Structure formats: structure tokens, C-alpha cells
């Protein structure tokens, strides 16, 4: 097989080919680099020397017969993970050219497992957004339709996997940023439980919500990656000491009957996830996916998540509050862009920050500073924290009646970039509403996934676009999510759909 025809899709298949010597790690890396160079909207930064050196080391391990499953497999990291040898900008001008002296824990762990870093993926600035239109280095396109957004904030990661540039990517999810772009681009993405994966070296957005997660073709591939990424890290004070399960693809709730492995599994369908605002074609795909789960033995139970709507205002107070504090370090002195025209210290700070931060980031800093300020803290931040607690209680209660919560990831398929831009001009907050189904699991710190559920024709016309099914599990039950998603993917082929095949 010539490298240019390698299907850069399944970690499983590529790992097998590497171990069988059908391809080499350097060949694979070279091909990923070539494809990345053709997609500068998705992959912002590369360092071919570094990639080649990692691929050679991987090949040496393969040659010695010492290679684990991930050795030699290429990936891109969302540009909020700091990396040695590659710029780390978080999609912001304020960090243009910033080179980190160390690797994020996730980057180090995946590297130690033998994965080869091909580059850094585009994202919304400081992970703030749902479209990847907020990246200071330009927008990223959806490989399924280039006039549509890939989603965000991990849009470059999702686009790079969907386009077959790399078989896997890392993303981060604060309020949906792994799940929603995975849904829009037709790939599988997992947001682990808060505390499951180290945040060390992840450029912080909202520290009580930020979690890193894998994005790849299948649940099986995501399980491989999470096994390498996750687990306790003493360098992150909020990292959980709970051991990772020995298998992420088995769960005691699965039935022994291979034909009906989900026998008795209770799927909680929240009324609030299927109300007004949900596109009919998206609802239809979600229903088809639920039918496929039912054919495997699962049954639907109706549940309530009454604070679903309140999760939007609560999140959009808490996340900006934490962001305003986290982003105060970018002052032009220790970190980031420094203005050329400062008269004194105060103008150095304000000009550096005004020049360096994009409009959405500035908006969030202003909102966050406001809701934390004396006299407003009680009315906004404290209130939002109380709502957050109630949202968590809703989930705890819902899980008394079901094993997994299921629903859509987003109300629509990926919107057209031009339409989102004009809507944002009219009301910059409008886009926040599309996060309605993902914010709850974030506020509650629960693990959640997006699993491909086929294609739907967009409401305003155009070619069919991917739809994601969201699965939400109780805390630290990643194995439940992944094993159910894996059984679904053994029985269906929605996760195998690619933009090329549909073109
Ligand atoms: N869209 C949400 C926001 O803008 C979520 C982003 C994220 O998960 N990083 O904050």
C-alpha cells in the first residue's frame, strides 16, 4: 500500500499494520505531516523534525518487539495543551509564538505510550466557543461541508480526525468542547469525569470544569487513548486518586449474551432534551440510535432533568468568573504579547491585554470580573453555584431510575459559518444556547460521550451532516460509557462514515 492511500482512520487497524510491518511509524508520520500541511485551518503548528524523531523512536521500539498498542500512531493535540518543541497558543494572539519549557501531563503520557505528535490543532481562543470561529489564527472548516463550522472549541482536533489527517486527537471539554465538535464532524469523543485526566499543562479556561478527552473514530480507539491519558497525577490537585479500571471496554452491567449484550440496560431519556429547539432531523437520528441500542437489549425509561435550561446561565456565570481569574496571568509582563506603546505600568497591562485578546475572550473577562465584583458576587456567582449544585442533584436523582442518560449532543447539525457569524453580530450570546445539552454533565462533573448516529439533512438545506448521540454516565463510569458505545459500534457502522465516502 502506498502511504498516500493509508486510511488514517482506526487506531486498531493502524496498530495492527505497524506490528505486522505493513507500514512503518516514520512512513505513517510522514503521511500525516503531508496531510496536515494541506489543512492549515485544522493543524496550526507542526515541527516535522520533532515528529520524525518521535516516529523513529517508535519504530525502534516496534523493531525491538517492545511496543505497546499505541506505539507509532500519529495524533494532534488541541493547542491548549502545552508542548515542548511546538508553539502553544490556545488559539490566541496573546500567546503567539509561545514555547513551553515543559509538556502537559496528557502530552507526556501519550508520548510515553509511543504516540507520535504531528502538530497542534486549531481551537476557539482559550477554548471559548462552540464553532472554532473564535480562533485568532483563522476559522477551521468542517470536512463534511467546507461552508460549515467543525464545532468548538476543539474544532481543529475533530476536523483533523474526520478528514483522515490523523487517526486521533486530544481535545478539552469545559462545557461541551469535545462532544459537540465530535458530533458535528461524525467522530467519537469522550469527556471523562472531572478529575479523571490531569489538567497539568492544560492552559486553563474554567478550572472547576476543564477536562481533557480523546477524539477518534471509535469507542474502542477512545478507550485505548483514555487508558494512556487518565489516572492520578500528583501535579494536579483536583486529579482523582481512584484507580482506572483495568478494562474500559467491559462493565459488569453487560449481559453475557453477545447478541443482546445490553439486556436490561436502562436508558434514561430526559424530557428536557427533546423539547422545542431540537431539529426534527437530529431528533430522528437520535431516535434511530436509541432503536439500535434497544435491539441490543436496552430499554428506554423517561426521566427528568428539570434544571437543564438553568444550566446555561449558571455555566455562563461560573465559566467566565473562573476565566477572568485564570487569564489575569496574561499581562504582557510574565506571559504573552507586550504592547509596544505603554506609557506606564497600567497602560502596559491594559494595552497588552486589549491587543492580545480577541473580542469573545474580552467579553468573558468583563462578564467574569463583573460577576465576581463586590455587590454582584452574591447575586450572580453565588447564585450560579447554587444552581450548579441543583443540576448535580438532578443527575443523581435521574440515575436512580436509569444506567445511562441519552439524548442529542446539540440541537442542530453543524451550522454554516456565515449564518453563525451574522447571528453573532446581532447577538453575541445567541450561540451560548446551542450548548444546552452538554452543559449539565459539565456542571455535574460527569463523564459523557458523543457517538456518531448517522447523517441528517440540515434544516436550511445542504448535504447531509453528521449527528452525535450523547451518552452520560455517573461519575467515574467511563467504562460503562465506552463499553455500551462499543457494543453499539459493533452492531452499526455510523462511526465508519467519512466525508469522502459521502461526497
Ligand atoms: N461553548 C462553551 C463555551 O464557550 C464550551 C467551551 C468548552 O467546552 N471549552 O464556553
Amino acid at each position: 500500500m502506498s502511504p498516500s492511500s493509508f486510511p488514517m482512520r482506526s487506531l486498531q487497524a493502524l496498530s495492527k499494520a505497524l506490528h505486522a510491518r505493513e507500514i512503518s511509524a516514520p512512513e505513517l508520520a510522514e503521511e500525516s505531516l503531508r496531510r496536515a500541511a494541506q489543512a492549515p485551518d485544522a493543524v496550526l503548528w507542526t515541527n516535522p523534525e520533532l515528529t520524525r524523531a518521535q516516529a523513529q523512536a517508535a519504530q525502534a521500539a516496534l523493531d525491538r518487539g517492545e511496543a505497546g498498542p499505541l506505539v507509532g500512531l500519529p495524533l494532534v493535540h488541541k493547542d491548549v495543551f502545552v508542548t515542548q518543541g511546538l508553539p502553544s497558543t490556545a488559539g490566541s494572539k496573546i500567546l503567539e509564538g509561545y514555547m513551553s519549557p515543559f509538556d502537559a501531563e496528557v502530552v507526556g503520557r501519550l508520548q510515553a505510550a509511543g504516540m507520535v505528535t504531528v502538530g497542534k490543532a486549531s481551537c476557539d481562543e482559550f477554548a471559548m466557543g462552540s464553532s472554532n470561529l473564535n480562533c485568532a489564527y483563522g476559522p477551521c472548516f468542517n470536512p463534511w461541508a467546507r461552508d460549515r463550522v467543525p464545532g468548538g472549541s476543539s474544532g481543529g482536533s475533530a476536523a483533523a480526525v474526520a478528514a483522515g489527517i490523523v487517526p486521533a486527537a486530544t481535545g478539552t471539554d469545559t462545557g461541551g468542547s469535545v462532544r459537540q465538535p465530535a458530533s458535528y464532524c461524525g467522530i467519537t469523543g469522550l469527556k471523562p469525569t472531572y478529575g479523571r485526566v490531569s489538567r497539568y499543562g492544560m492552559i486553563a479556561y474554567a478550572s472547576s470544569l476543564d477536562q481533557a478527552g480523546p477524539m477518534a473514530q471509535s469507542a474502542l480507539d477512545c478507550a485505548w487513548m483514555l487508558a494512556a491519558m487518565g489516572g492520578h497525577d500528583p501535579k494536579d490537585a483536583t486529579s482523582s486518586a481512584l484507580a482506572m479500571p483495568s478494562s474500559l471496554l467491559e462493565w459488569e452491567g453487560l449481559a453475557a449474551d453477545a447478541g443482546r449484550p445490553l439486556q436490561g440496560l436502562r436508558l434514561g431519556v430526559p424530557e428536557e432534551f427533546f423539547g422545542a429547539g431540537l431539529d426534527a432531523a437530529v431528533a430522528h437520528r437520535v431516535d434511530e440510535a436509541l432503536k439500535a441500542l434497544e435491539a441490543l437489549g436496552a430499554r428506554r425509561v423517561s426521566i427528568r432533568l428539570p434544571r437543564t435550561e438553568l444550566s446555561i446561565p449558571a455555566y455562563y456565570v461560573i465559566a467566565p468568573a473562573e476565566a477572568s481569574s485564570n487569564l489575569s496571568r496574561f499581562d504582557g509582563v510574565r506571559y504573552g504579547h507586550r504592547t509596544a506603546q505603554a506609557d506606564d505600568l497600567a497602560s502596559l497591562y491594559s494595552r497588552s491585554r486589549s491587543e492580545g485578546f480577541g473580542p469573545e475572550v474580552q467579553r468573558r473577562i468583563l462578564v467574569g470580573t463583573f460577576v465576581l465584583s463586590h455587590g454582584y458576587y452574591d447575586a450572580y456567582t453565588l447564585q450560579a453555584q447554587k444552581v450548579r449544585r441543583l443540576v448535580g442533584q438532578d443527575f443523581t436523582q435521574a440515575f436512580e431510575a436509569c444506567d445511562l442518560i441519552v439524548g442529542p449532543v446539540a440541537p442542530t447539525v453543524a451550522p454554516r459559518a456565515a449564518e453563525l457569524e451574522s447571528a453573532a453580530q446581532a447577538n453575541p450570546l445567541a450561540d451560548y444556547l446551542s450548548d444546552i445539552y452538554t452543559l449539565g454533565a459539565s456542571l455535574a462533573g460527569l463523564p459523557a460521550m458523543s457517538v456518531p448516529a448517522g447523517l441528517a439533512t440540515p434544516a436550511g438545506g445542504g448535504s447531509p451532516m453528521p449527528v452525535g448521540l450523547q451518552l452520560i454516565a455517573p461519575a467515574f463510569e467511563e467504562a460503562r460509557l465506552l463499553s455500551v458505545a462499543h457494543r453499539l459500534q459493533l452492531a452499526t457502522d455510523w462511526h465508519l462514515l467519512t466525508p469522502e465516502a459521502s461526497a
Side-chain angles (χ1 to χ4, degrees), residues 78 127-130 153 172-177 205 315-316 364 435:
K78 183 178 185 179
M128 296 175 189
S130 310
S153 62
T172 64
D173 189 312
T174 302
S177 283
Y205 163 18
Y315 173 89
Y316 279 100
R364 306 248 183 145
D435 294 339

Side-chain angles (χ1 to χ4, degrees), residues 298-325:
R299 63 190 166 88
R300 301 186 205 197
V301 296
S302 170
I303 58 158
R304 298 291 313 268
L305 291 172
R307 273 82 167 204
T308 298
E309 256 183 40
L310 285 181
S311 60
I312 301 177
Y315 173 89
Y316 279 100
V317 167
I318 293 170
E322 294 185 19
S324 73
S325 161

Side-chain angles (χ1 to χ4, degrees), residues 470-490:
Q470 185 173 204
L471 303 174
I472 306 172
F476 297 104
E477 292 284 351
E478 284 83 5
R480 186 182 307 191
L481 283 181
L482 287 162
S483 55
V484 170
H486 178 50
R487 296 312 181 282
L488 176 68
Q489 292 182 339
L490 286 175

Side-chain angles (χ1 to χ4, degrees), residues 284-363:
H284 176 68
R285 289 317 318 159
V286 169
D287 189 54
E288 290 295 307
L290 295 183
K291 282 185 189 148
L293 290 166
E294 283 173 329
L296 296 172
R299 63 190 166 88
R300 301 186 205 197
V301 296
S302 170
I303 58 158
R304 298 291 313 268
L305 291 172
R307 273 82 167 204
T308 298
E309 256 183 40
L310 285 181
S311 60
I312 301 177
Y315 173 89
Y316 279 100
V317 167
I318 293 170
E322 294 185 19
S324 73
S325 161
N326 275 324
L327 270 54
S328 63
R329 76 192 65 181
F330 303 105
D331 56 9
V333 178
R334 285 190 64 190
Y335 291 104
H337 167 79
R338 180 177 300 172
T339 182
Q341 314 164 27
D343 311 319
D344 52 20
L345 188 61
S347 70
L348 176 98
Y349 287 154
S350 65
R351 285 196 187 190
S352 299
R353 288 165 67 80
S354 299
E355 290 166 13
F357 289 132
E360 182 61 23
V361 175
Q362 293 194 22
R363 182 174 304 117

Side-chain angles (χ1 to χ4, degrees), residues 248-309:
L248 286 162
L249 292 163
E250 293 304 324
W251 167 56
E252 70 280 1
L254 293 179
D257 177 357
R260 288 177 74 78
L262 308 184
Q263 190 63 44
L265 182 81
R266 296 166 305 165
L267 302 173
V269 183
E271 209 174 282
E272 293 77 4
F273 279 29
F274 292 86
L278 176 63
D279 178 84
V282 170
H284 176 68
R285 289 317 318 159
V286 169
D287 189 54
E288 290 295 307
L290 295 183
K291 282 185 189 148
L293 290 166
E294 283 173 329
L296 296 172
R299 63 190 166 88
R300 301 186 205 197
V301 296
S302 170
I303 58 158
R304 298 291 313 268
L305 291 172
R307 273 82 167 204
T308 298
E309 256 183 40

Side-chain angles (χ1 to χ4, degrees), residues 119-186:
K120 301 295 287 292
S122 178
C123 57
D124 284 304
E125 186 174 358
F126 286 101
M128 296 175 189
S130 310
S131 63
N132 220 104
L133 290 170
N134 296 341
C135 179
Y137 302 96
C140 173
F141 307 102
N142 191 312
W144 291 82
R146 292 185 61 81
D147 59 340
R148 293 182 184 273
V149 300
S153 62
S154 312
S157 299
V161 174
I165 296 166
V166 279
T170 55
T172 64
D173 189 312
T174 302
S177 283
V178 163
R179 289 164 281 163
Q180 186 254 30
S183 169
Y184 282 3
C185 291

Side-chain angles (χ1 to χ4, degrees), residues 102-106 109 198-201 232-239:
F102 70 101
D103 281 322
E105 183 67 15
V106 161
R109 287 189 187 196
S198 171
R199 292 183 295 108
Y200 181 74
H232 184 239
D233 174 17
K235 296 191 293 306
D236 171 1
T238 59
S239 152

Side-chain angles (χ1 to χ4, degrees), residues 153-245:
S153 62
S154 312
S157 299
V161 174
I165 296 166
V166 279
T170 55
T172 64
D173 189 312
T174 302
S177 283
V178 163
R179 289 164 281 163
Q180 186 254 30
S183 169
Y184 282 3
C185 291
I187 64 167
T188 304
L190 167 70
K191 177 196 98 76
T193 312
Y194 183 79
R196 181 58 102 185
V197 175
S198 171
R199 292 183 295 108
Y200 181 74
M202 244 168 74
I203 297 172
Y205 163 18
S207 303
S208 77
L209 295 153
D210 296 341
Q211 254 306 280
M215 305 173 82
Q217 184 184 53
S218 65
L220 196 53
D221 287 354
C222 286
W224 272 18
M225 283 179 71
L226 182 63
M229 291 163 72
H232 184 239
D233 174 17
K235 296 191 293 306
D236 171 1
T238 59
S239 152
S240 167
L242 213 68
M244 291 278 287

